[in-house]
Amino acid sequence: SQTIHQWPATLVQPVGSPLSLECTVEGTSNPNLYWYRQAAGRGLQLLFYSVGIGQISSEVPQNLSASRPQDRQFILSSKKLLLSDSGFYLCAWNPSGQGHSPLHFGNGTRLTVT
Amino acid sequence: GQNIDQPTEMTATEGAIVQINCTYQTSGFNGLFWYQQHAGEAPTFLSYNVLDGLEEKGRFSSFLSRSKGYSYLLLKELQMKDSASYLCAVVDSNYQLIWGAGTKLIIKP
């Protein structure tokens, strides 16, 4: 069966520090991969999605970046965090070419920038 | 622009029935999802509707009217564990997911 792993679960980082969040999927090949952010009491905001290795689409201009170095690995990074980067970060996947398939989410990373 | 509207918060009593509405205005339509999200956790998939009508899955049912741009999630025999946020999301013509802000459901004994 397919599983998705996301870490760390919680993170407290000072303003200006770098960030690296990692997500891996098991049990499937060539998944669509997504990074979302959810601010407190708000809906999900799509940050990046990827349909294949090295293919990244950015939805929102900001100081975050994403990479997909391997088929089932998706990394969210920042060189210098801002206070506004605080939030709940969620990695998700669904099968390639099936836009109607439900997203399967990782457990999320609670990021607090201080 | 694209827009999904849901009530911000609803309160219901344990054992009762509650209906959570979702209205949408999107560029095209390729289906509608409902997700459940407990506080501090990731969303989990509840239902998917692409054709008009009611889809029943145990205590949960989801209804869709494409002509009205409207869906609802019906929860029966409410249990305390149903206290959560319920997210409506629409797949647009580009197969992008447009998310509502979610409805926080509070269940009282």
Side-chain angles (χ1 to χ4, degrees):
Chain A
S1 62
Q2 302 93 352
T3 55
I4 178 168
H5 303 278
Q6 184 182 343
W7 66 93
T10 59
L11 195 58
V12 180
Q13 292 284 101
V15 168
S17 64
L19 172 75
S20 181
L21 302 181
E22 189 163 344
C23 172
T24 59
V25 179
E26 296 178 356
T28 188
S29 296
N30 196 31
N32 296 324
L33 294 171
Y34 306 82
W35 277 112
Y36 281 92
R37 178 170 62 201
Q38 187 176 38
R42 304 285 295 276
L44 293 170
Q45 179 187 33
L46 179 63
L47 302 176
F48 301 95
Y49 70 92
S50 172
V51 298
I53 296 175
Q55 301 179 62
I56 309 293
S57 296
S58 173
E59 293 297 305
V60 184
Q62 56 205 329
N63 69 320
L64 299 172
S65 62
S67 62
R68 186 170 177 172
Q70 299 180 46
D71 181 44
R72 290 168 286 180
Q73 184 184 29
F74 205 23
I75 298 172
L76 181 70
S77 304
S78 174
K79 292 182 180 178
K80 288 186 177 182
L81 284 169
L82 306 173
L83 284 174
S84 58
D85 291 324
S86 293
F88 190 43
Y89 288 81
L90 290 157
C91 180
W93 77 275
N94 66 355
S96 174
Q98 298 182 30
H100 62 279
S101 294
L103 291 177
H104 304 276
F105 289 89
N107 288 333
T109 297
R110 177 80 53 193
L111 173 65
T112 303
V113 182
T114 60
Chain B
Q2 310 208 82
N3 194 50
I4 310 281
D5 286 317
Q6 306 178 234
T8 302
E9 187 174 297
M10 298 181 70
T11 302
T13 304
E14 190 178 15
I17 299 173
V18 70
Q19 177 175 311
I20 302 174
N21 296 325
C22 170
T23 58
Y24 62 88
Q25 293 174 313
T26 55
S27 54
F29 178 86
N30 280 301
L32 185 145
F33 290 96
W34 284 97
Y35 286 82
Q36 180 190 60
Q37 185 178 24
H38 285 101
E41 298 182 8
T44 55
F45 168 72
L46 287 178
S47 68
Y48 173 72
N49 294 70
V50 66
L51 300 176
D52 290 350
L54 188 68
E55 295 277 346
E56 296 185 76
K57 195 182 290 186
R59 293 189 298 115
F60 292 8
S61 303
S62 55
F63 171 83
L64 174 68
S65 169
R66 288 172 295 170
S67 62
K68 296 182 179 178
Y70 167 70
S71 173
Y72 67 73
L73 182 68
L74 191 71
L75 291 73
K76 302 177 183 177
E77 301 170 15
L78 285 170
Q79 302 175 9
M80 297 304 292
K81 67 178 181 179
D82 297 329
S83 292
S85 289
Y86 291 85
L87 311 179
C88 173
V90 172
V91 185
D92 71 8
S93 57
N94 294 318
Y95 288 93
Q96 299 298 310
L97 261 182
I98 312 301
W99 292 86
T103 298
K104 183 177 180 180
L105 178 63
I106 300 168
I107 309 297
K108 295 186 175 179

